[in-house]
Amino acid sequence: MDIRRVGVIGDPVAHSLSPVFQQAAFDATGIPARYERWHTIAAELPARIAGLCEADCFGANVTVPHKVAVAALVDSLSETARRIGAVNTVINQDGRLLGDNTDLYGFMRSLLTARPGVERDRILIIGAGGAARAVVAAVAEIGVAGITVANRSPERATHMLADLHVDGAEVIPLADWDLMGAIRDHSVIVNATSIGWNDDQMVLAPELLDAVDPHGLIADLTYRDTPLLVQARARGIAIMDGLPMLVHQGARSFELWTGLDAPIDIMMAAAERTRET
Ligand code: NDP
C-alpha cells in the first residue's frame, strides 16, 4: 500500500505535539502513513485545504488560527463542528471534505476521567475563544449542575452562549471581585484562555485560589505545568492540564480518518515523553 499523508495545519505548528503521538498511533497500528507539520499562513489556507482531497491524503488536524476559517472551506460540517463554529479535523471522504470538531470529545473524555460524578458540579469556565466553546458545549452535553463563564470581554461570552444555545448559564467579567464570589460557588474551574504559556502570567490572582473548594478540580487547557496548576497543586487541589484533552481529541481524529480504534495508551505515552524533553 502507498504511504498516506496527513498533517496539522496552523501558524505556527513547530511546537505542536500532534505529529509525535499521531505518528506513534499509525506506527503501532501498522498503517503506512506520514503525519506532517503543514505550516500555513492565512493566504495559503484555501489551497492547503483543497489539497486534502487527493487520494493519498487522510485529511488533517487544524489548529490556531485557522479553526474558524476552515469551516467555510470544506464540503460539509458535522453537527458538532456546526454548533461550535470551528473545525479541528478534516476528513477526506473519497474526495469530499468533512469538517469535524473533536475538541469537545477530547475535553469531555478527560474531564469525565479526572472528575467522576462531574454532573453534580458547578463549573466556572474562564475564556470565550474557540477552546472555551468546546468546553462549554462539552459540559452542557454532560449536563452539569451549573455553568458560569468569566471573560475579559463579557459580551464575547454572552455571544458564545447564545451561539451554542446554552440557556441558564451566567456571564461575569474577569475581575477579582466577581471571580471571588464565583470561585466560592463552583467546584470545578477551567482555564480556557491563552494565559498559561508564560510563567509570569496567571489568569487568577494566587490569593483567589485560597477560596477554591479543597475537594474541587482546577483544569487548564494549556498542556504544560502552568503557574495556575503549580499554585493549585501547592494548595492540595486536584488538577488537570491540557495534555489528556489534546491526546483524546487527536485519538478521535485518528479514528475518523482510519475507522480503527486509536491506541490511546501509546499516544498518551508518546505525548508525555515528548513534553518532558
Ligand atoms: P482564542 O484566541 O480563541 O481565545 C483566547 C481567550 O483567551 C479569550 O477568551 C481571550 O479573552 C482570552 N485572553 C487572551 N489574552 C488574555 C489576557 N491577556 N487577559 C485576559 N484574557 C485573555 O484561543 P483558543 O480558545 O483557541 O485557545 C485558548 C487556549 O487553549 C490556548 O492556550 C490553547 O493552546 C489551548 N487549547 C488547548 C487544547 C487542548 O487540546 N489542550 C485545544 C485547543 C486550545 P477575550 O475574549 O477577551 O479576547
Side-chain angles (χ1 to χ4, degrees):
M1 203 197 299
D2 289 340
I3 291 196
R4 305 280 298 269
R5 289 183 304 125
V6 57
V8 55
I9 296 170
D11 179 18
V13 287
H15 67 288
S16 174
L17 289 178
S18 293
V20 171
F21 63 78
Q22 293 288 6
Q23 193 62 53
F26 284 111
D27 294 349
T29 48
I31 298 174
R34 199 165 43 238
Y35 190 104
E36 299 171 340
R37 291 174 205 273
W38 290 334
H39 178 245
T40 307
I41 60 169
E44 295 165 354
L45 191 61
R48 174 71 77 190
I49 298 299
L52 303 179
C53 300
E54 288 163 20
D56 68 337
C57 191
F58 273 123
N61 284 126
V62 182
T63 186
V64 175
H66 300 317
K67 289 186 186 182
V68 173
V70 165
L73 298 173
V74 291
D75 296 305
S76 59
L77 292 174
S78 69
E79 195 273 327
T80 308
R82 190 171 302 113
R83 189 152 44 105
I84 295 176
V87 165
N88 81 330
T89 306
V90 179
I91 305 119
N92 179 8
Q93 296 179 323
D94 300 322
R96 289 188 59 77
L97 299 180
L98 170 67
D100 206 339
N101 189 308
T102 66
D103 282 336
L104 184 160
Y105 171 87
F107 182 75
M108 193 187 283
R109 273 293 303 271
S110 11
L111 183 63
L112 290 171
T113 305
R115 185 79 177 167
V118 69
E119 54 282 352
R120 291 189 294 275
D121 286 308
R122 291 175 55 75
I123 314 235
L124 171 62
I125 296 148
I126 310 175
R133 282 178 174 253
V135 170
V136 170
V139 298
E141 203 165 308
I142 290 171
V144 297
I147 301 173
T148 296
V149 180
N151 199 46
R152 178 175 61 178
S153 338
E155 63 285 355
R156 193 173 178 205
T158 306
H159 283 138
M160 171 182 75
L161 292 171
D163 285 352
L164 294 172
H165 305 292
V166 171
D167 298 323
E170 240 185 282
V171 171
I172 59 170
L174 196 58
D176 283 0
W177 178 256
D178 301 271
L179 283 168
M180 179 58 97
I183 286 169
R184 289 212 173 97
D185 197 29
H186 293 71
S187 36
V188 173
I189 300 170
V190 182
N191 173 32
T193 71
S194 35
I195 299 178
W197 290 105
N198 294 329
D199 279 337
D200 54 0
Q201 265 190 316
M202 240 178 103
V203 74
L204 295 177
E207 52 276 18
L208 291 181
L209 293 182
D210 295 335
V212 173
D213 178 351
H215 304 294
L217 173 79
I218 296 200
D220 196 323
L221 299 200
T222 321
Y223 30 93
R224 69 191 282 266
D225 218 9
T226 64
L228 175 67
L229 295 180
V230 169
Q231 293 270 350
R233 190 192 292 114
R235 287 164 170 79
I237 303 162
I239 58 170
M240 175 179 99
D241 68 35
L243 199 74
M245 173 181 177
L246 181 75
V247 175
H248 281 298
Q249 64 77 31
R252 184 80 192 113
S253 302
F254 177 91
E255 291 175 350
L256 292 167
W257 294 320
T258 65
L260 299 178
D261 287 344
I264 189 75
D265 293 344
I266 288 172
M267 298 174 86
M268 199 70 81
E272 272 164 7
R273 259 196 321 273
T274 307
R275 177 171 63 166
E276 279 155 19
T277 56

